[in-house]
Amino acid sequence: PVGQISINFKDPLRTGGTAINGGVQMPGTGRDIGTEVFYPAVSNGSLAALASGQFPVVVFGHGFVMTYDNYDNIYNKLASEG
């Protein structure tokens, strides 16, 4: 199963950015860095409990013309495999 959480990180050295509506807002000021996180979970869905174990991290920093869901085949496969 694949869990998902939206997090708005902050870059205190810059301004602007794009926050994710409804995402977890990290403390601080500065540029919003809206981030979608997909992870191995005990059930599918938003804010699902994390599966037990240790897992590697893969980060995609994609261009401005595409949305994150263009990578759904990649993140769903990686997260479902742990």
Side-chain angles (χ1 to χ4, degrees):
V2 178
Q4 177 183 5
I5 185 170
S6 302
I7 305 173
N8 293 306
F9 291 101
K10 293 290 188 179
D11 179 349
L13 302 179
R14 296 168 53 184
T15 60
T18 304
I20 298 171
N21 189 25
V24 174
Q25 191 66 40
M26 298 304 286
T29 60
R31 180 181 181 156
D32 286 307
I33 304 170
T35 307
E36 298 290 345
V37 179
F38 298 88
Y39 55 91
V42 296
S43 63
N44 286 316
S46 181
L47 303 176
L50 182 66
S52 60
Q54 293 183 335
F55 308 102
V57 174
V58 177
V59 177
F60 279 87
H62 62 86
F64 294 106
V65 181
M66 297 174 62
T67 60
Y68 74 91
D69 54 355
N70 287 299
Y71 300 99
D72 67 339
N73 60 322
I74 298 171
Y75 60 70
N76 280 314
K77 179 66 174 174
L78 291 175
S80 69
E81 295 290 329

